[in-house]
Amino acid sequence: MLPLAFCERMRRMLGQAEYETFLKSYDEDKYQGLRFNIGKGKQEDFLALAEEAFSLEKIPWAEHGFYYGAEAAPGKHAYHEAGVYYIQEPSAMAPAAYLQARPGERVLDLCAAPGGKTTQIAAQMRGEGLLVTNEIHPARVRILSENVERMGVRNALVTNAAPADLRRHFGMFFHRIMVDAPCSGEGMFRKQEMAADEWSLENVRTCAARQDEILEEAYAMLLPGGRMVYSTCTFAPDENEGSISRFLAIHSDMHLVEVPKYEGMSPGRADWYEDFAIRESAFAPDPEEVLPVAEHLERSIRLWPHLLHGEGHFVAVMEKDGACPLIDYKLEKTATYKEQKELQKFAKDCLAKDWMETLAQGQYLTFGEQLYLVPKDMPALKGLKVLRPGLHLGTLKKNRFEPSHAWALTLYKEDVRHVTDLSSKDETVYAYLRGETLRQTASRDGI
């Protein structure tokens, strides 16, 4: 059951006629989506292979996103375990799409668990540059790290830190920052009934205050000329237009960017900031202390469940004035390939030419016996709690090297000397995923 105070506010926001249409959407089936991982091959090949298993329909705002039918069970398919796709709510694919990360950049996903936006950003970066993906909660950051591994992301630094601690380490460092802020979750009521049970106006205000703090830390880490995308999965003006207005009022060098809106998307509403965010907020009870509404709030985006095929979301794309400067920063001390004797022997026996060249040019870190291939020009890590400082290659044993599952998930069959081809329909695959031993003999591919 939807909270009465929530319903009353939504009725006043939308007007009676649209409110009734909005309310009816809660009786309709939710839309489900998955996003193809371009790090695993060509999308057209995936679509041809998946045709029998899933009924897929393109999501307009996500280049590699697809709706799938209610009868499908993609989470139980071998493709999911192999990281061929990420199951993600369709509206949640919009924020990272608007971030437009590029190969070679330094990018931060500040509130990243469980990893949908991180892995979407990683696909945009195509393994080049540095992706710092952070989560403050220890249990959730482990899930984030697992999803980074499953999707075969090679250039991610997974950290477990409060935004303020991260800012002290990465002041004015990133070209792009994704802030998918913790929120009251109103947009997920149809998908997660528990979110409705936990809702309160007090929690809306608490979330808005936390969002203000997170945006401040993100601002300090964004380079001039950089882009920041702020998103929530709530309808509350206090957390959407309100958060953006409060932020822009104290940062005159930030501005909202005009971006394309897809069919069904609506603009942000300046009048809702004045009528709801201020009136219902605990921030400015004195009218003389009210911060002004941000210019061009209509450039922000609202996604509504009664207007498009997805849940409720809010997205604001902002950029910082100025040109991106060249900055010097302290680098992590890393080792070279020449120092990795055990890895060299393994590579010679098992890998094809392209990966041999990648390893030869790589930079390496060891955590105990664990060996990592780290992104180029990795910043110093002292003082950070790091779960994954790049691609986990494997374990260094006495006179030998044991490759990791994480590394295997980044490889194509053309990358290795020994290959076993198994169909996704083969029961052997599912037996292996249940924990049984894989009893197959690899064949040489002629390299």
Side-chain angles (χ1 to χ4, degrees), residues 255-298:
H255 62 276
L256 283 160
V257 178
E258 183 73 66
V259 293
K261 294 182 177 70
Y262 295 85
E263 184 177 356
M265 292 183 176
S266 301
R269 295 273 296 270
D271 58 320
W272 285 350
Y273 170 66
E274 296 167 340
D275 293 345
F276 296 96
I278 292 175
R279 183 182 300 172
E280 296 184 353
S281 175
F283 289 97
D286 184 344
E288 294 183 0
E289 298 178 7
V290 171
L291 294 172
V293 62
E295 291 185 2
H296 305 301
L297 268 179
E298 74 280 357

Side-chain angles (χ1 to χ4, degrees), residues 223-226 253 255 319-325:
L223 285 163
D253 59 341
H255 62 276
E319 290 182 353
K320 183 182 279 191
D321 296 338
C324 180

